[in-house]
Amino acid sequence: MVNTGRVPSTLPDGDPVPPDGSLPDQARQGAADRTLSFYVHVPFCATRCGYCDFNTYTAGELGSAASPQSWLDAALAEVELAARVLGRGRTVSTVFVGGGTPSLVGAEPLTRILTAIDERFGLADDAEVSTEANPESTDPALLGALRAAGFTRLSLGLQSTSRRVLTVLDRTHTPGRALDVVRWAGQEGFEHVNLDLIYGTPGETDAEFTDSLAAVIASGVDHVSAYSLIVEPGTRLARQFDRGVLPMPDEDVLADRYLLADELLTGAGLHWYEVSNWARTPAGGCRHNLAYWTGQDWWGIGPGAHSHVGGVRWWNVKHPAAYAQRLAEGRSPGQAREVLGPDDRRLEDVLLRLRLRDGLALSGLSEQGRRHARIAAADGSLDGAALDRGRAVLTLRGRLLADGIALSLAE
């Protein structure tokens, strides 16, 4: 599922992070009105997919510079750092373990990190605890151990049921494996299961994408994420496009794929609650990602992980060895940070909240932004009835143009 705590391979510039990780007073203002989440980044992968631009490493790339054990020791040390910086008194609403491939490290390390978060902060009684998993490194024993540890939600990268499409994407799992894992997750008692799809892979046919959607629907999962293929600079896939080996994704095809996904998923009882995400019930929506989209607080654990607390954003050093070394020396692993001003925070709020089914309040827009909202409603991109009630809510047409509409409303 979409996880905006994802760790890109290139990190931005910013101001220095204090060695003790301390935060300015701004970060504490209004904290009682915001939820607290943790994102845990597992930087290991068995192989690198051709489209992937995340901060991940194969064993061959890391060599002896870092290991799952050194990562675990450092991650536990960062939980302690978070407890010193944030203090007591705030329970944790959601935890999301992403990567990379969390299932590669097994249940025991993930359980230890979750236990540490619970001991230092306390998990809310209804906490949502999610992990991503690769179908090939997941089996019933792993799922049973994770469920026993308190994990409630599982997210699997299916991407496609077409072997040919998976080959183009450099995905190593067989199409049916993810569907087997869905069945095992249900048997082990996971409350929510998500399947990810990617559409617009070069050469993908309408029939192949329709078959993928049909398989997802038939699996019975209560959450589906569907993303258009994004060609990130520096990836193996980008080099294939540059050499003309593969054609670039066609924008019209991508739009048609999205419309098809929405039609079939909605018809099967899965309803959009964010532009790229559909859930069977409101409870099936990913609360962790909703925390990102609504500007709540989260602390990112792991190399390259991003954090946000009260308008202060920082990101850790990228390499697992550098990350572990800093924490072993008692220093924050933060590489840099930025303190967002009111205009920056308003812009982010518009860009993220507009993607949600509930949209955003017109009262938070400037007069120019409200004027653009009326124009967007007139051309069918925003819901006119919702606009009359004081909210900017995307229509199906508007979802295809969401980023551009958000930028105009943020003026």
Side-chain angles (χ1 to χ4, degrees):
M1 79 192 65
V2 62
N3 166 27
T4 51
R6 282 290 200 183
V7 181
S9 63
T10 302
L11 299 178
D13 296 324
D15 299 322
V17 174
D20 63 358
S22 57
L23 297 171
D25 291 341
Q26 170 184 321
R28 304 185 188 282
Q29 296 173 1
D33 298 324
R34 301 188 302 270
T35 61
L36 176 63
S37 298
F38 275 84
Y39 171 71
V40 180
H41 183 64
V42 181
F44 309 111
C45 281
T47 61
R48 181 177 293 279
C49 299
Y51 60 91
C52 180
D53 187 42
F54 300 140
N55 186 43
T56 60
Y57 305 83
T58 65
E61 290 169 335
L62 279 176
S64 61
S67 68
Q69 185 61 52
S70 65
W71 163 81
L72 173 61
D73 292 341
L76 292 171
E78 192 176 2
V79 173
E80 298 292 338
L81 173 66
R84 292 195 298 273
V85 171
L86 298 179
R88 300 280 183 171
R90 298 184 67 185
T91 57
V92 175
S93 298
T94 70
V95 178
F96 193 105
V97 182
T101 309
S103 49
L104 270 184
V105 301
E108 195 269 340
L110 304 185
T111 299
R112 288 186 61 186
I113 294 173
L114 182 61
T115 299
I117 292 171
D118 190 20
E119 289 176 348
R120 296 297 175 267
F121 292 89
L123 292 171
D125 291 340
D126 64 344
E128 175 191 270
V129 183
S130 309
T131 185
E132 294 177 339
N134 183 288
E136 293 300 326
S137 54
T138 302
D139 57 26
L142 172 67
L143 294 172
L146 290 173
R147 186 68 189 95
F151 283 80
T152 64
R153 190 179 196 101
L154 182 70
S155 183
L156 296 163
L158 173 65
Q159 318 313 359
S160 176
T161 56
S162 164
R163 288 181 180 274
R164 191 175 58 79
V165 171
L166 292 175
T167 299
V168 174
L169 295 173
D170 289 320
R171 296 287 295 187
T172 58
H173 68 268
T174 56
R177 178 72 176 193
L179 304 177
D180 288 338
V181 177
V182 169
R183 186 178 70 257
W184 299 335
Q187 293 168 350
E188 297 299 335
F190 273 83
E191 297 171 17
H192 304 288
V193 180
N194 171 72
L195 282 174
D196 280 354
L197 289 173
I198 290 179
Y199 57 87
T201 300
E204 179 189 56
T205 65
D206 290 344
E208 285 171 325
F209 186 54
T210 300
D211 287 346
S212 296
L213 286 166
V216 165
I217 291 167
S219 74
V221 294
D222 68 340
H223 191 288
V224 178
S225 302
Y227 313 111
S228 65
L229 178 66
I230 297 175
V231 183
E232 300 287 358
T235 60
R236 185 159 59 248
L237 196 60
R239 291 191 291 272
Q240 290 177 298
F241 287 124
D242 290 342
R243 297 196 307 269
V245 176
L246 293 174
M248 286 291 289
D250 181 273
E251 292 295 328
D252 290 336
V253 170
L254 295 179
D256 289 342
R257 293 276 194 276
Y258 181 87
L259 294 173
L260 178 61
D262 187 71
E263 176 186 358
L264 295 184
L265 293 172
T266 301
L270 291 144
H271 303 285
W272 82 282
Y273 71 97
E274 192 275 341
V275 168
S276 298
N277 291 272
W278 291 258
R280 198 170 296 281
T281 65
C286 179
R287 287 166 47 204
H288 185 86
N289 283 342
L290 284 167
Y292 293 146
W293 293 319
T294 57
Q296 307 301 313
D297 292 346
W298 74 87
W299 188 297
I301 301 285
H306 286 231
S307 302
H308 170 269
V309 176
V312 181
R313 177 178 292 111
W314 69 96
W315 43 95
N316 290 344
V317 293
K318 280 179 51 179
H319 199 279
Y323 168 76
Q325 180 177 353
R326 288 204 184 192
L327 284 157
E329 294 171 350
R331 294 188 294 145
S332 165
Q335 174 178 302
R337 78 180 186 189
E338 58 182 343
V339 179
L340 303 177
D343 290 343
D344 294 325
R345 297 184 75 176
R346 188 177 70 85
L347 172 62
E348 284 205 352
D349 197 52
V350 172
L351 291 175
L352 294 174
R353 285 183 184 269
L354 186 64
R355 296 182 63 86
L356 299 175
R357 188 181 186 92
D358 290 339
L360 62 113
L362 295 177
S363 58
L365 303 180
S366 67
E367 179 53 43
Q368 179 82 332
R370 290 193 290 273
R371 185 176 72 83
H372 282 300
R374 291 190 291 272
I375 293 171
D379 74 11
S381 298
L382 290 181
D383 185 312
L387 200 73
D388 291 340
R389 298 193 301 270
R391 298 196 69 80
V393 176
L394 293 169
T395 61
L396 177 56
R397 179 182 188 279
R399 280 185 266 160
L400 296 173
L401 308 167
D403 291 343
I405 295 170
L407 287 172
S408 70
L409 298 191
E411 289 184 4

